[in-house]
Amino acid sequence: AAVRIIAARATGASPGAGVIGSLARLVKGQLSASVTRESLVYPAALAHYAQSAAKGDRALAAGLTRDARRCPSQVFVLLGYSQGAQVVGDVLGGGGGGALGPATPGVPAPVARKVVAVIQMGDPRRMPGLPFDKGTAPGATGQYPRSAGQSLSGFAARIRSYCDRGDPICARG
C-alpha cells in the first residue's frame, strides 16, 4: 500500500489498536491512496512501565525499518495514545533516559523521513510550548518529559500532540 497507518494503544488497553483505532479508521477514510492499518504489538503495561515502553520502542522501530526497506515508496502515519504516544515519539526523537532506563536513539533519518504524519494523544513525555501542541493544556508537561537531546521539534510540521487540562499523564493533572 502507498500508506501504512500504525496505531499504538494506551497503557492497559487490550491487544489491538485500542481507542486510537477509531482515529486510524477516520484517517484511512480520508485518504485516496491505498492504505493498510496495523496495531503495534507490545505489552502496553503499567507494571514495569519503562520496560513495556522500551519493548514498544523496539517493536515500532524494527517494523518501520523493515517496512521502509521492503516497500521503499511507502509512507507512514503514526498514531499513539498515552503509552502509545510515548512510543511513537520515542521512535522519532529517541527513548529512555532517567526513570525510563537507558537512552536510545530514534530511527535513522531515511526511515524518519518516511513518517508523514503523527498524532499523539496524552503523551507522557510531552514538553510544553511546542508548535505542534494542541488541546486545552498547551503549556502542560508530561510525567516523563523529553530531554533536550530527544526533541521532536524537527518533526513539528508532521506532528500534532493533544493534551487536555486535568489529564494525569500528559498534564500531571
Side-chain angles (χ1 to χ4, degrees), residues 60-155:
L60 183 55
L64 286 173
T65 302
R66 178 195 66 234
D67 292 347
R69 278 193 208 119
R70 285 184 185 167
C71 303
S73 62
Q74 186 175 61
V75 296
F76 303 97
V77 174
L78 305 179
L79 310 173
Y81 179 55
S82 190
Q83 188 174 159
Q86 174 179 328
V87 167
V88 165
D90 287 353
V91 165
L92 297 175
L100 296 174
T104 58
V107 293
V111 175
R113 281 192 292 273
K114 296 175 101 10
V115 177
V116 297
V118 177
I119 299 289
Q120 295 175 297
M121 294 186 163
D123 181 12
R125 303 207 67 192
R126 183 181 176 88
M127 293 296 295
L130 297 172
F132 48 84
D133 290 347
K134 303 294 179 192
T136 61
T141 301
Q143 285 185 328
Y144 305 107
R146 293 191 169 281
S147 69
Q150 297 174 328
S151 174
L152 298 176
S153 293
F155 301 94

Side-chain angles (χ1 to χ4, degrees), residues 142-169:
Q143 285 185 328
Y144 305 107
R146 293 191 169 281
S147 69
Q150 297 174 328
S151 174
L152 298 176
S153 293
F155 301 94
R158 298 179 264 173
I159 294 180
R160 297 298 175 267
S161 181
Y162 293 89
C163 183
D164 286 331
R165 274 189 296 275
D167 187 303
I169 305 303

Side-chain angles (χ1 to χ4, degrees), residues 5-10 16-28 37-39 79-81 121:
I5 300 172
I6 303 172
R9 71 189 190 281
V19 298
I20 201 78
S22 60
L23 180 60
R25 284 188 295 280
L26 289 171
V27 170
K28 182 178 180 183
R37 286 187 357 204
E38 171 186 339
S39 299
L79 310 173
Y81 179 55
M121 294 186 163

